[in-house]
Amino acid sequence: LFILTHNKLYIARDASDKARNGTIAHEMAHCALKIVYKNKCLPYDETDLERKNEWKKVVKKIKDMYEADPNNTEPIIANVFQFYKNEDKDEEEYLQEVELAVRVPHMLAHYQGNMEKIKRLKEKYAPLFKFYDDFINDDFGIENGTVLRELNDEFKLLEKVQKFKDIYDINVKIINP
């Protein structure tokens, strides 16, 4: 759980490796988006109206796919539209945009090593992966095709989670539920 207003990141230890890796990538992506774009964890600078419009088109396409066939939607994607509902439609839209923005690293980490599954996800959710390829990967200096394991090998990402706190004043806690 990443708490935006308090710069706190909580990671539970009891999940399976797959779930834990997905969760760590998911929550670290929230932190990274906040730092890079300074736009409440959205995947674009608030002054970049072209990218904002592109992102909203992606969200609409993925949401339309979910609504057309919720039972055949990747659970990591479906959760965005199942759990982030709000009576305030502007708030609901914001929450869904923020949550969808971190689903690519979440899925890549969760299905790490299952290249066939990742290939199918990239095909099915092409607009989402294309947005990452066209915009986010460039902004983060990530070459197309880089997977979480390569990032971790290069940057020792999981070993540096605690250092993240010192650099960006994010309070990271590993908890046992």
Side-chain angles (χ1 to χ4, degrees):
L1 171 66
F2 177 59
I3 303 174
L4 173 67
T5 55
H6 295 99
N7 280 355
K8 290 189 178 185
L9 175 64
Y10 296 93
I11 302 167
R13 282 191 195 186
D14 74 334
S16 69
D17 286 345
K18 240 172 54 163
R20 185 177 52 249
N21 290 344
T23 299
I24 289 171
H26 174 121
E27 300 304 344
M28 293 297 288
H30 279 307
C31 293
L33 291 171
K34 178 189 179 199
I35 291 162
V36 170
Y37 299 115
K38 298 173 180 51
N39 191 15
K40 301 179 190 169
C41 299
L42 290 164
Y44 53 86
D45 183 281
E46 66 184 326
T47 63
D48 190 340
L49 298 180
E50 183 179 336
R51 190 179 297 187
K52 176 181 178 179
N53 289 334
E54 285 300 313
W55 178 241
K56 288 190 175 288
K57 288 178 193 174
V58 169
V59 173
K60 182 177 181 345
K61 284 179 187 173
I62 303 299
K63 187 172 187 173
D64 287 349
M65 290 171 67
Y66 166 74
E67 289 174 346
D69 193 1
N71 294 327
N72 195 27
T73 301
E74 163 60 38
I76 292 170
I77 297 283
N79 288 345
V80 170
F81 305 109
Q82 291 170 344
F83 299 123
Y84 294 94
K85 296 186 179 260
N86 196 300
E87 289 179 14
D88 178 344
K89 290 303 172 191
D90 289 338
E91 180 69 8
E92 179 178 299
E93 182 179 315
Y94 163 75
L95 291 170
Q96 290 176 353
E97 286 184 35
V98 165
E99 285 303 318
L100 191 60
V102 299
R103 299 306 163 146
V104 167
H106 187 154
M107 291 185 294
L108 291 176
H110 187 86
Y111 296 114
Q112 183 179 14
N114 186 344
M115 299 313 287
E116 190 58 38
K117 175 72 171 183
I118 291 171
K119 179 182 176 199
R120 286 192 309 270
L121 290 169
K122 286 181 175 184
E123 290 168 358
K124 185 170 184 175
Y125 302 105
L128 182 59
F129 281 89
K130 184 174 180 349
F131 188 89
Y132 259 77
D133 288 344
D134 291 350
F135 300 110
I136 296 174
N137 289 349
D138 286 345
D139 293 343
F140 282 79
I142 299 170
E143 293 183 26
N144 288 345
T146 302
V147 295
L148 184 67
R149 182 181 317 140
E150 292 167 347
L151 289 175
N152 187 48
D153 290 347
E154 184 173 346
F155 299 113
K156 303 295 181 219
L157 181 65
L158 302 179
E159 294 171 18
K160 293 181 180 178
V161 169
Q162 281 294 344
K163 291 181 183 179
F164 200 74
K165 169 190 168 217
D166 300 329
I167 298 169
Y168 297 109
D169 193 29
I170 304 271
N171 187 2
V172 177
K173 292 187 183 201
I174 310 287
I175 58 171
N176 287 318

